[in-house]
Amino acid sequence: GCGIQRAIVLLFQGDFVAAFYMYPALFPLVLFLGTVAISLIHTTKKYGFWIKLLGFITLTVMVISYFYKHF
Protein backbone atom coordinates (compact mmCIF):
# COMPACT_ATOMS: atom_id res chain seq x y z
CA GLY A 1 0.00 0.00 0.00
CA CYS A 2 1.84 3.04 1.26
CA GLY A 3 5.43 1.77 1.07
CA ILE A 4 6.41 2.13 4.72
CA GLN A 5 7.70 -1.43 5.05
CA ARG A 6 9.93 -1.12 1.99
CA ALA A 7 11.07 2.30 3.20
CA ILE A 8 12.04 0.86 6.59
CA VAL A 9 14.07 -1.88 4.87
CA LEU A 10 15.78 0.74 2.72
CA LEU A 11 16.46 2.83 5.82
CA PHE A 12 18.13 -0.12 7.57
CA GLN A 13 20.17 -0.78 4.44
CA GLY A 14 21.40 2.81 4.58
CA ASP A 15 19.71 4.01 1.40
CA PHE A 16 18.17 7.16 2.87
CA VAL A 17 17.29 8.82 -0.43
CA ALA A 18 15.41 5.78 -1.73
CA ALA A 19 13.64 5.44 1.62
CA PHE A 20 12.53 9.07 1.35
CA TYR A 21 11.21 8.56 -2.18
CA MET A 22 9.43 5.38 -1.12
CA TYR A 23 7.72 6.95 1.92
CA PRO A 24 8.49 10.64 2.61
CA ALA A 25 6.85 10.59 6.04
CA LEU A 26 9.32 8.01 7.35
CA PHE A 27 11.82 10.49 8.75
CA PRO A 28 9.32 12.71 10.60
CA LEU A 29 7.63 9.53 11.82
CA VAL A 30 10.92 8.21 13.23
CA LEU A 31 11.51 11.56 14.97
CA PHE A 32 7.96 11.54 16.32
CA LEU A 33 8.18 7.99 17.67
CA GLY A 34 11.62 8.67 19.12
CA THR A 35 10.31 11.76 20.92
CA VAL A 36 7.36 9.81 22.30
CA ALA A 37 9.70 7.06 23.52
CA ILE A 38 12.01 9.58 25.17
CA SER A 39 9.06 11.31 26.83
CA LEU A 40 7.93 7.99 28.29
CA ILE A 41 11.40 7.26 29.64
CA HIS A 42 12.36 10.76 30.77
CA THR A 43 9.16 11.83 32.53
CA THR A 44 10.56 14.85 34.39
CA LYS A 45 10.81 16.96 31.23
CA LYS A 46 7.80 18.15 29.23
CA TYR A 47 7.77 17.04 25.58
CA GLY A 48 4.17 17.93 24.75
CA PHE A 49 4.99 20.78 22.38
CA TRP A 50 7.48 18.69 20.39
CA ILE A 51 5.15 15.69 20.24
CA LYS A 52 2.30 17.84 18.90
CA LEU A 53 4.56 19.61 16.41
CA LEU A 54 6.16 16.42 15.10
CA GLY A 55 2.76 14.69 15.00
CA PHE A 56 1.34 17.54 12.93
CA ILE A 57 4.34 17.54 10.57
CA THR A 58 4.17 13.76 10.17
CA LEU A 59 0.45 13.78 9.47
CA THR A 60 0.83 16.62 6.98
CA VAL A 61 3.60 14.84 5.09
CA MET A 62 1.55 11.61 5.08
CA VAL A 63 -1.51 13.32 3.59
CA ILE A 64 0.49 15.26 1.00
CA SER A 65 2.43 12.19 -0.12
CA TYR A 66 -0.79 10.16 -0.32
CA PHE A 67 -2.45 12.67 -2.60
CA TYR A 68 0.73 13.10 -4.63
CA LYS A 69 1.03 9.34 -5.25
CA HIS A 70 -2.63 8.65 -5.94
CA PHE A 71 -3.85 11.68 -7.85
Side-chain angles (χ1 to χ4, degrees):
C2 64
I4 193 167
Q5 292 174 332
R6 290 175 284 174
I8 290 171
V9 169
L10 289 168
L11 183 69
F12 284 133
Q13 291 175 348
D15 196 354
F16 301 111
V17 175
F20 176 78
Y21 284 124
M22 183 65 61
Y23 191 69
L26 180 65
F27 296 108
L29 182 63
V30 168
L31 287 174
F32 172 73
L33 293 175
T35 305
V36 169
I38 289 171
S39 73
L40 292 174
I41 295 168
H42 193 262
T43 58
T44 58
K45 196 168 182 181
K46 305 276 191 239
Y47 291 95
F49 170 76
W50 293 108
I51 290 173
K52 289 176 188 176
L53 179 65
L54 288 170
F56 176 76
I57 291 170
T58 303
L59 183 62
T60 303
V61 172
M62 283 180 183
V63 169
I64 290 171
S65 67
Y66 174 80
F67 281 110
Y68 179 75
K69 286 181 181 182
H70 290 93
F71 297 109

